Amino acid sequence: DAGCALIGGETAEMPGMYGDGEYDLAGFTVGAVERSSVIDGRSIRPGHRLLGLESSGAHSNGYSLIRKVLERSGDAVDGTLFHDNGQAVSLGDALLAPTRIYVRQILDLLKQGGIDGLAHITGGGLTENIVRVIPEGCGLEIDTSSWAMPAVFDWLQREGNIEDSEMRRTFNCGIGMVLLVPESEASIVCQRSENQGVRCHDIGQVIAADNSEVRYLG
């Protein structure tokens, strides 16, 4: 999906280290970019819009908590969970939905311009990832009513009795990637994403604030 090449690797045999049925999987990536094409967030100013690209699920983050919630709930993984698009899927399939890979879409959007910052919503959720790409003296205002949180996150919050702040710090809550763009470019960039088949929501803005403050509305 990302257009990457697997150019080497090996499978190590380590008797005594791993028991039957156990394995350890690790990996890394190396990339290159022209210095003139680096997006470092230096152009971001108060008023920049936050465009959120929808996630496909939990995106492999927060699974220690997910396992605890599943155990606590006692729900069967083959039970039905209805998504907001009306399609019925099992709880297990919803929790194990493959992570959406945004590489091809993002590369195409970058070629068309208008993007001053990017934040992949991984561990740390909405609260801790976007602030890493904004300059000093800036904060964020996020309107959580601007998109519908997928049913799997509603289930996690309800069954785990998880506070809103912890949900936003641990999970992507339905937004897997955030683009930071000037207000004048927001509708254009969002439409380009929609044309690629990835739903996009204007979820907030950059504001003047101290200490990378994040304010939530909605």
Side-chain angles (χ1 to χ4, degrees), residues 45-48 134 137-141 205-209 213-215:
R45 299 287 186 272
H48 266 60
I134 60 177
C138 290
L140 303 172
E141 189 175 77
Q205 65 178 334
V206 177
I207 60 174
E213 178 184 3
V214 181
R215 303 174 187 171

Side-chain angles (χ1 to χ4, degrees), residues 88-104:
V89 298
S90 71
L91 175 59
D93 285 342
L95 292 174
L96 294 176
T99 299
R100 171 170 276 164
I101 305 299
Y102 299 95
V103 174
R104 293 182 186 275

